[in-house]
Amino acid sequence: MDTAAPAPGTTPAVALPRRAGIGLRHPHVPAFLGGERPDVAWVEVHSETYLVAGGPRLAALEAIRRDYALSCHGVGLSLGSAAGLDAKHLANLRQLYDRLRPDQISDHLAWTGTGGAYLNDLLPLPLTAETRDVVAVNIAHAQDALGRRLLVENPSLYMPLTLPPGVEAIPEPQFLADLVARTGCGLLLDVNNVVVCAHNLGFDVAAYLADFPLEAVGEIHVAGHRREAFAPWVGPDAGAGGVVLIDDHGSRVSDTVWDLLAGVLARTGPLPVLVEWDMDVPPLEVLLGEAAHAQSLLDGVAPHA
Amino acid sequence: MLEAFQQQMQRALLAAGGGEGGVDLAPGAVAGARLKIYRANVQQSLAEALAAAFPVTLRLMGVPAFRAAALDFVRAHPPARPQLAAYGGGFPVALAPLDTGAADMARLEWAVMEAYFAADAPVLTVEQLAAFPPGDYARLRFVAHPAARVLWLGHDVLPLWRQAQEDETWVPPAPDAVDGEVLVLRPADGIVCVSLPPGAAAAIQSLLNGDMLTQAAEAGLLVEPELDLQAMLHTLLAQGALAGARL
């Protein structure tokens, strides 16, 4: 895994098992450390949660990693930062990844703060040519510093951005395809985020997925979201009746998202599919049940050549 | 444009309620309302990170007072990088002007956090120590275990912290303003807090700094002439406070 990123334009390999995985959350760690191994093909953790010098949390993950394929999913690279990436953070991540040797690493098309601040949220980017240049440089920097190929995830968005007159918006699928072509990165397709954005920003899910560069996808995410009414805040001109979808990863995957996943898999063949559940974490059996459903969809599609 | 947008949006996200500036790329009522979702996410999630790091301090202060202090801290001092396990080291100092007892509880909880995530290291054993010639003991220097830290506290918070670990719903009373010295350690998988006798904190801090055993003894005996150095050393060895020894 210490090889450099592949040259731009080469076909990214899928590094994780083409099966269902789950996000590993603290309440479930004892079950994974116990004698009976939970039946799931791979697990994913948030990289930054394990950026600690030592202690029981990191030791537990190292023990679990010996038995399971591992994906390290970052939330803090801030690939959209105009000011560039934090060299110390990259060095810390490199140390963690060299220790854990994950099968796959990833982060988001987002920014998380500027000027030496981390805001603990994945913030929206104006999708312009300027931003594309910034993100492409940052991805190349990250892949070099981390010594690994990165998957970049499509974001979930709540707020429409209005570009100044004369500045052209690049559609998100095209923007991501450009990043793949320029940096050799792969993509992480979060189907739930597509549903959330389509509702919040008012675009068509089918058209978005038709344009998405699926050949670059090395992993898929599904998760639950919640509906929130912000009617008192939002005026009568509010799109979508003032109801906002929040991707809180705090409930079961919706039927809409499962259907879209099946549609994507029919086009791609089996890919690694992760069920994320971060808030109000349920008993492990519930999460494994969701993963089993994802696996049943995976079992229903034939491998593609 | 991107850099100006990010600076402007960050200012809006860290502003107090009602005081946020606008964001040029987010004009209009809908975008303004949606900006508030991001502001709430940012400030509340960081305040929740503090609540997770300082759970007993929260119970001691009560939710409204803790929440107000946490949000003020978050707006003024957001994390410098994405490591929430390392976020909050400045919070005890920020609490001191508001509530000195809560600030001492927060100092204890932060030491526990630091110890929990400190680097792993082998533990110095009695056998390893016995391998040194007895005549050389006075000149021994120790390597501190990365988790070990000494705290000088102005309130008797340790008994309250201990009871709060036993009973997750118990609401601690205000701590007594009594000086206390505590050694925080991480033997095996857990955290241990040891209440130290007078003088021991000075001696142990000296040892953890890498001073010779005689120097550490002097530092301790200066504070408390009756300090039992042998008992102190026994505690350090038994609880894994030391990672090595050298002459």
Side-chain angles (χ1 to χ4, degrees):
Chain A
M1 292 305 294
D2 282 350
T3 52
T10 58
T11 308
V14 173
L16 290 162
R18 294 173 185 261
R19 300 181 58 79
I22 61 168
L24 179 68
R25 298 296 167 256
H26 298 314
H28 302 149
V29 165
F32 277 86
L33 293 175
E36 214 163 294
R37 290 176 44 178
D39 183 19
V40 66
W42 56 283
V43 296
E44 182 166 284
V45 296
H46 286 165
S47 310
E48 286 77 6
T49 306
Y50 293 88
L51 283 182
V52 297
R57 181 186 284 183
L58 194 52
L61 181 57
E62 285 189 299
I64 292 167
R65 197 271 170 279
R66 285 194 281 273
D67 291 336
Y68 290 86
L70 176 69
S71 161
C72 284
H73 186 48
V75 295
L77 272 179
S78 203
L79 292 171
S81 273
L85 304 184
D86 180 336
K88 180 73 169 72
H89 182 55
L90 284 172
N92 291 342
L93 279 178
R94 174 71 191 242
Q95 203 175 10
L96 179 73
Y97 293 161
D98 284 351
R99 186 165 174 172
L100 293 171
R101 306 205 153 250
D103 298 279
Q104 183 65 66
I105 63 167
S106 51
D107 207 301
H108 300 80
L109 178 63
W111 64 289
T112 63
T114 186
Y118 171 69
L119 302 179
N120 200 31
D121 200 3
L122 298 163
L123 300 167
L125 288 165
L127 299 187
T128 64
E130 180 204 359
T131 303
R132 183 180 55 195
D133 292 346
V134 165
V135 178
V137 168
N138 286 343
I139 291 172
H141 182 190
Q143 292 188 137
D144 279 354
L146 299 173
R148 290 158 171 84
R149 188 171 135 270
L150 196 63
L151 300 184
V152 177
E153 179 178 339
N154 59 298
S156 74
L157 303 165
Y158 312 121
M159 185 171 76
L161 295 177
T162 305
L163 300 180
V167 179
E168 199 183 336
I170 303 171
E172 194 172 281
Q174 181 62 49
F175 193 98
L176 292 166
D178 290 350
L179 294 177
V180 171
R182 287 198 193 185
T183 68
C185 74
L187 299 177
L188 196 171
L189 171 59
D190 189 316
V191 178
N192 185 54
N193 286 356
V194 178
V195 172
V196 165
C197 292
H199 174 94
N200 291 342
L201 305 187
F203 65 75
D204 181 58
V205 172
Y208 179 98
L209 287 174
D211 291 343
F212 201 91
L214 291 179
E215 65 284 357
V217 172
E219 181 183 344
I220 294 178
H221 277 183
V222 293
H225 58 253
R226 71 171 197 271
R227 303 173 67 85
E228 235 174 68
F230 285 98
W233 294 359
V234 184
D237 57 338
V243 173
V244 180
L245 299 190
I246 308 280
D247 73 318
D248 63 349
H249 303 170
S251 56
R252 287 179 187 274
V253 178
S254 71
D255 288 343
T256 307
V257 171
W258 285 130
D259 289 347
L260 289 169
L261 173 64
V264 168
L265 292 176
R267 291 165 59 197
T268 61
L271 284 172
V273 175
L274 182 89
V275 179
E276 289 184 294
W277 199 319
D278 300 328
M279 307 282 288
D280 301 324
V281 176
L284 182 57
E285 299 71 50
V286 175
L287 192 49
L288 292 174
E290 293 281 275
H293 188 69
Q295 188 59 50
S296 73
L297 296 178
L298 282 161
D299 292 342
V301 294
H304 287 207
Chain B
M1 179 183 80
L2 183 61
E3 187 152 29
F5 159 71
Q6 290 176 339
Q7 288 169 353
Q8 196 180 37
M9 184 157 173
Q10 179 160 307
R11 272 197 300 279
L13 296 177
L14 291 175
E20 73 269 24
V23 173
D24 292 342
L25 298 189
V30 174
R34 305 289 173 88
L35 181 63
K36 289 182 183 174
I37 301 177
Y38 284 108
R39 201 186 75 213
N41 277 356
V42 166
Q43 297 190 12
Q44 285 174 23
S45 72
L46 291 173
E48 279 165 20
L50 293 176
F54 301 98
V56 186
T57 309
L58 185 154
R59 278 191 263 168
L60 187 59
M61 295 176 72
V63 171
F66 183 91
R67 190 182 143 76
L71 287 173
D72 280 347
F73 182 80
V74 161
R75 292 179 195 119
H77 309 285
R81 54 174 51 95
Q83 285 171 258
L84 292 185
Y87 180 54
F91 192 54
V93 173
L95 288 180
L98 306 172
D99 183 336
T100 53
D104 270 344
M105 183 63 83
R107 289 177 61 210
L108 176 61
E109 292 200 281
W110 186 251
V112 167
M113 272 280 281
E114 285 191 317
Y116 190 74
F117 292 122
D120 301 300
V123 168
L124 179 68
T125 62
V126 177
E127 292 74 27
Q128 287 169 326
L129 194 57
F132 289 96
D136 288 340
Y137 270 32
R139 294 191 295 118
L140 270 181
R141 295 176 194 272
F142 295 93
V143 179
H145 190 281
R149 53 247 306 128
V150 176
L151 288 172
W152 281 262
L153 299 167
H155 292 78
D156 194 19
V157 293
L158 183 56
L160 305 182
W161 181 83
R162 284 206 179 109
Q163 191 164 341
Q165 309 306 307
E166 299 291 313
D167 179 353
E168 292 196 353
T169 59
W170 180 68
V171 177
D176 295 332
V178 176
D179 284 352
E181 289 145 20
V182 177
L183 175 64
V184 180
L185 298 162
R186 191 187 76 209
D189 276 2
I191 290 289
V192 167
C193 295
V194 182
S195 183
L196 296 172
I204 293 170
Q205 187 62 63
S206 174
L207 280 185
L208 297 183
N209 290 347
D211 294 342
M212 283 191 297
L213 190 52
T214 46
Q215 296 168 309
E218 280 171 29
L221 293 170
L222 200 64
V223 177
E224 173 52 59
E226 302 293 311
L227 177 62
D228 185 343
L229 288 163
Q230 207 161 358
M232 182 196 82
L233 207 52
H234 181 79
T235 300
L236 294 180
L237 285 168
Q239 302 284 7
L242 304 172
R246 62 192 162 83
L247 282 172

